[in-house]
Amino acid sequence: MSETFSETVKQINAQLRSFGSEAVQQVMFKDRDGKVIGQIRYGFKPQYVFDAVNEILQPENWRYEIVSKEIFDFQAVVEVKLFIRIANEWLCKGSHTGQMNIVKKNVGDAYKGAVTDALQKCFSLVSIGSDAYRGLLEDVYKSGSGKRPPTNNRQSPPQQQKSVQKNKKRNNQPKQQPQTSVPQTPQPGPQIAGVDYQQLNGRLIAIGDTFNKKELLKADGFRWDGAEKNWYKEVAVH
C-alpha cells in the first residue's frame, strides 16, 4: 500500500507542475522603506493544490474532520484532520491548525478560510506540493509559462463533498470556468505570506495573518481601523 500511496502523491505533484507559473506565487517581506527583507520564497496557491488533489484522487477519495474550532473576537481558528483513501483504506497522517481573520463580522467566511488554510498544511504532511519547500518554484514563477488547469473538478474544499455527483453529470458538457471561494486580491497589494486582500467601499482590506504581519502592512501604507478592527489602505474607485 505504501508504494500505491507514494505513486499517487507523485501524480498529484506532477499535476501541480503541469499548471505552470499560474499556480505559483511569490512571497516576500519588506521593511518600512520598501526594501525586501530576507529571502524571497515561492509557493503554490492553495486553490491549485486542491485542484490537483481532486483531479488525481477524485473528491470522494479524500475527506477531512474538524478536530476543534475557536471563534475569537477577530479571528477564526480551526484544527483539521485529513484522511486520504488509498487502496480502499483511509490514511491519516495527522492534523494541522488554520486561521483567518474575521472581516465585517463575517464569521462564516473566516471559518471557511481557516479550514482551507489548515487543509493545505495537512497536504504538506504527505509531501503534496513538495516543490515549494524544496525551493524548486522560482524558475517556474519567473518563466511566466502559466497553463489553465482542468476545470471539471475545480472547487474549494468545504463544498467538495456536495458536488461529486454534479461533476459526474457535467463530464459530457462543455467545460466552463466555475467560481471559487478562495479570496482573490482585487488589486495589487504587498505579497505577504498568509495575507490576502478584499476591496470594500474604496478600501483595500488586509485579511489573514495580519496580527503577525502588521509591520509589513504599515510599511506598505496600511492603517489600523480601530472601529472595524482591520488594516486598510485607501484605493481609487473607478
Side-chain angles (χ1 to χ4, degrees):
M1 184 172 63
S2 60
E3 182 178 352
T4 302
F5 180 78
S6 178
E7 182 60 31
T8 299
V9 171
K10 287 180 181 179
Q11 292 178 25
I12 294 173
N13 284 329
Q15 184 71 14
L16 267 173
R17 297 182 188 110
S18 74
F19 294 156
S21 62
E22 184 178 334
V24 181
Q25 62 184 345
Q26 187 182 63
V27 182
M28 66 177 68
F29 300 94
K30 297 181 180 180
D31 60 17
R32 295 179 181 272
D33 298 323
K35 183 179 179 180
V36 176
I37 303 174
Q39 183 180 5
I40 297 176
R41 301 182 181 277
Y42 301 84
F44 287 111
K45 298 174 183 177
Q47 184 62 59
Y48 288 84
V49 176
F50 302 132
D51 290 341
V53 170
N54 284 330
E55 183 71 16
I56 302 302
L57 276 178
Q58 298 300 305
E60 63 268 28
N61 290 321
W62 69 278
R63 62 183 176 86
Y64 63 91
E65 294 180 359
I66 304 299
V67 178
S68 64
K69 61 180 180 180
E70 294 182 89
I71 305 298
F72 299 98
D73 289 341
F74 313 115
Q75 191 176 69
V77 178
V78 181
E79 183 182 358
V80 169
K81 185 177 291 186
L82 174 68
F83 296 86
I84 297 177
R85 182 160 57 186
I86 303 293
N88 293 322
E89 292 190 28
W90 287 100
L91 305 178
C92 178
K93 184 69 173 180
S95 65
H96 245 303
T97 301
Q99 61 186 30
M100 182 64 65
N101 280 9
I102 299 173
V103 179
K104 295 291 185 180
K105 299 182 179 180
N106 195 332
V107 177
D109 280 352
Y111 174 75
K112 186 163 54 179
V115 173
T116 299
D117 182 39
L119 279 174
Q120 189 184 16
K121 294 175 181 177
C122 285
F123 282 125
S124 71
L125 294 176
V126 292
S127 297
I128 292 175
S130 59
D131 285 0
Y133 52 79
R134 289 177 179 172
L136 303 178
L137 296 181
E138 180 175 359
D139 291 341
V140 178
Y141 178 86
K142 293 180 178 179
S143 70
S145 57
K147 297 181 181 179
R148 289 286 178 180
T151 60
N152 61 311
N153 281 322
R154 291 200 71 175
Q155 57 198 336
S156 57
Q159 287 80 34
Q160 57 108 3
Q161 299 297 340
K162 297 180 181 179
S163 60
V164 173
Q165 296 301 324
K166 292 182 180 179
N167 285 338
K168 292 180 179 178
K169 293 179 181 179
R170 294 174 182 171
N171 285 341
N172 295 325
Q173 299 179 2
K175 295 180 180 179
Q176 297 179 347
Q177 184 76 9
Q179 294 181 347
T180 67
S181 62
V182 174
Q184 300 294 321
T185 303
Q187 70 172 50
Q191 294 180 337
I192 301 174
V195 178
D196 290 303
Y197 306 93
Q198 291 181 346
Q199 186 172 331
L200 183 66
N201 298 329
R203 287 185 171 186
L204 188 64
I205 299 173
I207 60 176
D209 187 19
T210 58
F211 180 80
N212 294 319
K213 307 298 172 59
K214 60 183 179 181
E215 294 300 325
L216 299 174
L217 290 168
K218 290 166 60 177
D220 199 74
F222 280 77
R223 299 179 180 179
W224 175 250
D225 186 332
E228 298 297 337
K229 306 300 182 183
N230 59 37
W231 289 92
Y232 75 94
K233 182 166 64 174
E234 302 290 345
V235 295
V237 180
H238 300 284

